[in-house]
Amino acid sequence: MRKAAALASAAIAAAAVAVVSTVLHQRQRQAAKRSERAEAVLLRDLQERCAAPVELLRQVADAMAAEMRAGLAAEGGSDLQMLVTYVDSLPSGGEKGMFYALDLGGTNFRVLRVQLGGKERRIIKQDSEGISIPQHLMSSSSHELFDFVAAALAKFVASEGEDCHLPEGTQRELGFTFSFPVKQKSLASGTLIKWTKSFAIDEMVGKDVVAELNMAIRRQGLDMKVTALVNDTVGTLAAGRYVDHDTIAAVILGTGSNAAYIDHADAIPKWHGALPKSGNMVINMEWGNFKSSHLPLTEFDQELDAESLNPGKQVYEKLISGMYMGELVRRILLKMAQETRIFGDNIPPKLERPYILRTLDMLIMHHDTSSDLRTVANKLKEVLGIEYTSFTTRKLVLDVCEAIATRGARLAAAGIYGIIQKLGQHSDSPSTRRSVIAVDGGVYKYYTFFSQCMESTLSDMLGQELAPSVMIKHVNDGSGVGAALLAASYSQYHQAESADSRRRRWDWVGTLRRRLPRLPPLFLRSSLASTRQIKPTTPTNRIPHPIAPTTSPPPRPIRPRERANMAALPLATAEVCDANADLIMNGELRALQPIFQIYGRRQVFAGPIVTLKVYEDNVLIREFLEEKGHGRVLVVDGGGSLRCAILGGNPVQQAQNNGWAGIVVNGCIRDVDEINGCDIGVRALNSHPMKANKKGIGEKHVPVTIAGTRICDGEWLYADTDGILISRTELTV
């Protein structure tokens, strides 16, 4: 009886356990389904917030190009610093000799030796050695740090074999890649702005890093000097140009991100030095600091930025670089773990540790092609200490990696498109233009999905016709080999040979000119020759070409007896050009590119020029136009901004009343109807309803570059419906 009761009790207990087990299992399944639904919702929300369709990318590219122009217009005009590098000549491939490079950018540095054999043999041989910097030297003194570096250079040179000897009397030349913020003063000088990457030698801030290194080299008794100071991006551009002459820009996609490109020197309004012989200048964009309302930011980006060492800075870099993409993935997984328990009831402690998940870990997981995503499981266990994960969880992790990588790659493509757009090569005929973008950095080199996504996105943005003419080319070791190539480009011996070659060429030209008869002057067509010929009022044989002067001529003071005669005689610009081919040839008469709209009742006007440089600020414009004009023309370089109007109806009315002949604005205007009713000539790029700032920032009476032409205060402007001419002197019939 008791046995039967016991059996019955056991049966009841077993049934109860089964029921409880079933209920628990059902609840677990329901919880799992709820968790999966929650995970799906979170993932879908993330993908939507990270989405970067082509339409949005074009807006990002437009903003990038606009910020580039603003940064070139004036110091501080944009979040993009657009630094002038003083590199105006890149390697041609014909360089010969042995050159050195020092790559100092972190706790390790490299010394390199590169032997160049000209166009036929190119890079014959290269050697390098890496050296770790002792921890104590990173916070000691500049003297000790650079002595350590110079000693390593001396040891590297001392170990050279017989094949590395330079001709007697030849000094070794070094390209110095210094990957810390510097304010460059010339190609071979730059003062340290601040240290980063755990360096803390305060006494070095504000000192010339090249001078410090050169002194340390001399203390070692080494006959070597720094020829070029560059950063890794400029070095990559040099290395890219060396292997492909169509290289126009370079991009670094590694731990950090940056870009450099080649621009026309006359497109850099803030450049006040002599225009380089090549006519070009390499610009270091520092594009990591780009920001725009069009960037697809998430709460995770905002939190990462707020908790970073530089809140509000390097926003673009935090979206596309190796320093941050892995951390973004960690933050997303942490939120999912908190809200959906994807890793179990307890949040893995390591998942709460910032920057524990590197972008290298992210790309390894993302590249997992196994059927069960075993690599993802192993990496989660290895890095985050998560012992068990389901296939669903692993797939979720992979999808998160893909969302962040896709966004980063597409935004990087938009940045490259912005550079192409700024240079005007997004609309050229594919049959006449080939453009190469040199790219280096670990993210591009090792993250295959990222690089392929970036390239396909850029192709989509360019379109079927133009895409084949733009190439992305991987360039290795720009910070090392590229620096050595720039040392070769600017070698004192190469420069001497070039000067000697130019001297021989000009001696030959001079001899030829003396032997040839003097050519007759150029006249108008016969139908015009009988009526008028236009000549300068003063001799012009001593006036140099407009790109030659290193400084602008000072504004000529206006004496009272001259004021009544200031207004120039309006002339037909086409006739002026036909009659003065000689002045055009020697640069004393230049035509602005046809980019301006015509406003105001006076379509034909002329007068002596007053120059002004501003950016999205109209205070100084108003101040000028409140003065008596005496028939002068105000030429305003507004940096080509199309984001607001810097001239409106009231100041134009004042200008009319005060006797100004005209106003030319490299920017936008507003109150068009009011301006068109004024008896004055106005030229501007376009109209815009938004008003400008009123900070009073700008420069008066400085050379400006507008529509491809350098214009100096005191020159003369002639405008009609055919265009605008700039003359060094007044023209008369």
Side-chain angles (χ1 to χ4, degrees):
M1 190 73 178
R2 290 179 180 176
K3 186 175 181 181
L7 289 172
S9 297
I12 293 170
V17 168
V19 170
V20 170
S21 177
T22 301
V23 171
L24 288 175
H25 183 65
Q26 289 176 341
R27 288 181 178 177
Q28 287 173 347
R29 289 179 61 187
Q30 291 171 352
K33 287 181 179 180
R34 286 197 300 272
S35 178
E36 288 179 11
R37 285 195 296 270
E39 291 165 14
V41 169
L42 286 173
L43 178 62
R44 187 166 60 251
D45 181 64
L46 174 71
Q47 291 169 334
E48 289 174 356
R49 289 176 178 272
C50 290
V54 170
E55 296 77 13
L56 178 69
L57 295 178
R58 291 193 187 282
Q59 292 176 315
V60 171
D62 289 345
M64 177 73 80
E67 289 299 318
M68 289 171 70
R69 295 187 185 94
L72 292 172
E75 296 293 348
S78 166
D79 290 318
L80 298 181
Q81 294 184 51
M82 304 300 287
L83 301 174
V84 175
T85 65
Y86 296 88
V87 175
D88 61 356
S89 177
L90 290 168
S92 64
E95 293 78 12
K96 294 182 179 181
M98 186 166 66
F99 300 92
Y100 297 80
L102 168 64
D103 181 10
L104 175 59
T107 55
N108 301 298
F109 67 91
R110 290 183 306 146
V111 291
L112 299 92
R113 177 176 49 248
V114 180
Q115 290 181 311
L116 304 174
K119 291 186 180 295
E120 297 298 324
R121 303 176 68 190
R122 294 284 172 157
I123 297 178
I124 300 171
K125 183 182 179 183
Q126 66 182 76
D127 303 286
S128 65
E129 183 180 341
I131 299 103
S132 294
I133 300 175
Q135 187 71 32
H136 72 278
L137 290 181
M138 297 168 67
S139 57
S140 56
S141 69
S142 58
H143 193 96
E144 291 178 285
L145 174 64
F146 283 107
D147 272 355
F148 179 80
V149 172
L153 273 169
K155 183 179 178 181
F156 185 67
V157 170
S159 67
E160 292 175 347
E162 291 294 324
D163 60 337
C164 293
H165 286 171
L166 291 170
E168 190 170 346
T170 302
Q171 186 179 38
R172 288 178 169 84
E173 295 176 300
L174 176 77
F176 184 17
T177 300
F178 187 71
S179 298
F180 298 91
V182 296
K183 181 174 179 58
Q184 209 154 341
K185 300 180 292 184
S186 69
L187 181 65
S189 66
T191 55
L192 178 66
I193 297 173
K194 65 177 180 178
W195 287 107
T196 57
K197 307 169 189 176
S198 302
F199 281 78
I201 306 174
D202 293 340
E203 57 152 304
M204 186 63 212
V205 175
K207 289 185 179 180
D208 188 332
V209 295
V210 173
E212 292 292 319
L213 178 58
N214 279 333
M215 286 190 290
I217 289 172
R218 286 195 294 272
R219 287 194 292 268
Q220 293 293 326
L222 185 60
D223 190 16
M224 175 186 283
K225 77 167 187 176
V226 176
T227 302
L229 173 67
V230 300
N231 70 358
D232 55 354
T233 317
V234 176
T236 299
L237 180 56
R241 176 58 74 95
Y242 185 74
V243 298
D244 194 319
H245 193 71
D246 289 329
T247 301
I248 62 168
V251 174
I252 298 294
L253 290 165
T255 303
S257 185
N258 192 17
Y261 74 102
I262 307 163
D263 210 338
H264 297 295
D266 60 9
I268 311 170
K270 69 180 180 182
W271 170 254
H272 299 314
L275 291 179
K277 294 175 183 176
S278 68
N280 297 321
M281 182 67 72
V282 173
I283 298 296
N284 170 23
M285 290 177 60
E286 292 295 337
W287 84 350
N289 204 40
F290 170 67
K291 62 179 71 169
S292 167
S293 60
H294 300 299
L295 292 173
L297 300 176
T298 68
E299 61 183 284
F300 306 105
D301 301 299
Q302 294 164 345
E303 290 169 0
L304 183 150
D305 177 58
E307 297 170 19
S308 69
L309 296 174
N310 53 352
K313 304 291 185 182
Q314 302 301 110
V315 172
Y316 187 56
E317 183 176 73
K318 289 169 183 172
L319 296 173
I320 67 174
S321 74
M323 179 73 183
Y324 300 101
M325 287 193 292
E327 171 62 7
L328 285 169
V329 170
R330 182 198 69 84
R331 288 173 176 269
I332 295 164
L333 295 180
L334 176 60
K335 181 172 182 179
M336 288 182 168
Q338 292 169 338
E339 296 190 2
T340 68
R341 299 179 180 179
I342 58 172
F343 299 123
D345 292 336
N346 298 318
I347 296 173
K350 288 185 177 181
L351 186 58
E352 297 181 293
R353 191 181 304 171
Y355 293 94
I356 191 173
L357 189 69
R358 303 167 300 166
T359 300
L360 176 60
D361 303 317
M362 169 187 170
L363 76 86
I364 290 172
M365 291 190 293
H366 194 186
H367 287 166
D368 186 0
T369 57
S370 62
S371 59
D372 59 351
L373 299 179
R374 178 52 48 190
T375 302
V376 175
N378 292 340
K379 188 57 68 174
L380 291 172
K381 181 178 180 180
E382 171 194 334
V383 178
L384 301 176
I386 301 171
E387 292 291 336
Y388 170 78
T389 51
S390 67
F391 177 82
T392 302
T393 298
R394 297 172 204 169
K395 180 64 168 63
L396 178 67
V397 171
L398 190 145
D399 288 340
V400 170
C401 293
E402 183 152 323
I404 295 302
T406 300
R407 181 186 66 171
R410 291 178 70 81
L411 289 176
I416 294 173
Y417 187 84
I419 296 174
I420 295 172
Q421 180 175 320
K422 161 64 177 71
L423 294 176
Q425 292 176 262
H426 65 301
S427 57
D428 287 344
S429 168
S431 62
T432 60
R433 178 81 66 168
R434 176 177 178 269
S435 302
V436 176
I437 312 296
V439 185
D440 197 9
V443 170
Y444 180 81
K445 187 174 181 179
Y446 300 112
Y447 205 153
T448 306
F449 174 89
F450 187 101
S451 57
Q452 290 177 348
C453 179
M454 183 185 79
E455 291 171 11
S456 63
T457 301
L458 180 60
S459 180
D460 290 343
M461 295 185 73
L462 290 166
Q464 291 182 350
E465 288 189 3
L466 192 58
S469 65
V470 177
M471 295 179 59
I472 302 290
K473 183 173 287 190
H474 179 231
V475 175
N476 270 315
D477 196 17
S479 59
V481 173
L485 289 169
L486 283 170
S489 292
Y490 286 90
S491 166
Q492 57 188 313
Y493 308 107
H494 173 67
Q495 300 291 329
E497 288 176 6
S498 298
D500 187 56
S501 174
R502 285 195 300 272
R503 187 164 52 252
R504 289 195 301 269
R505 182 169 68 250
W506 283 111
D507 286 346
W508 176 82
V509 171
T511 301
L512 184 63
R513 282 178 171 170
R514 286 192 296 272
R515 292 179 179 177
L516 289 173
R518 181 177 295 274
L519 294 175
L522 295 172
F523 294 98
L524 291 171
R525 295 187 300 269
S526 58
S527 60
L528 295 173
S530 61
T531 58
R532 60 195 297 183
Q533 184 174 359
I534 298 146
K535 299 178 180 179
T537 58
T538 58
T540 60
N541 59 321
R542 293 188 298 274
I543 297 176
H545 189 276
I547 69 169
T550 57
T551 57
S552 63
R556 183 172 65 87
I558 304 168
R559 291 185 288 273
R561 66 176 180 271
E562 294 178 312
R563 293 185 188 275
N565 299 319
M566 287 289 291
L569 177 66
L571 303 172
T573 58
E575 292 185 12
V576 171
C577 291
D578 290 344
N580 291 278
D582 54 338
L583 297 183
I584 295 172
M585 289 293 290
N586 64 28
E588 294 167 24
L589 182 65
R590 293 99 67 198
L592 300 193
Q593 295 170 357
I595 62 174
F596 294 100
Q597 306 288 329
I598 297 176
Y599 303 96
R601 278 167 41 202
R602 193 182 300 178
Q603 294 189 337
V604 180
F605 62 94
I609 294 169
V610 179
T611 59
L612 176 62
K613 182 183 291 188
V614 298
Y615 188 74
E616 298 184 354
D617 191 313
N618 66 0
V619 172
L620 296 183
I621 299 175
R622 284 177 168 271
E623 289 179 1
F624 260 121
L625 298 180
E626 287 170 358
E627 302 173 3
K628 292 296 182 182
H630 302 291
R632 293 177 293 171
V633 177
L634 180 62
V635 175
V636 182
D637 182 7
S641 172
L642 300 177
R643 304 193 298 188
C644 65
I646 56 175
L647 182 68
N650 287 339
V652 172
Q653 182 72 44
Q654 277 188 312
Q656 170 196 268
N657 297 339
N658 286 331
W660 289 85
I663 309 167
V664 176
V665 179
N666 184 27
C668 292
I669 65 170
R670 65 178 190 170
D671 305 325
V672 171
D673 291 341
E674 188 175 344
I675 290 173
N676 284 339
C678 294
D679 184 21
I680 189 172
V682 177
R683 300 289 188 272
L685 299 182
N686 220 315
S687 59
H688 199 293
M690 293 184 66
K691 64 181 181 181
N693 297 319
K694 297 186 182 300
K695 298 180 180 179
I697 299 173
E699 298 174 89
K700 302 177 181 180
H701 306 298
V702 296
V704 296
T705 300
I706 297 175
T709 299
R710 185 178 172 90
I711 305 171
C712 294
D713 199 273
E715 293 187 307
W716 289 72
L717 181 145
Y718 296 85
D720 63 11
T721 52
D722 283 336
I724 302 174
L725 295 177
I726 306 296
S727 173
R728 298 290 271 173
T729 57
E730 183 180 4
L731 302 174
T732 59
V733 178

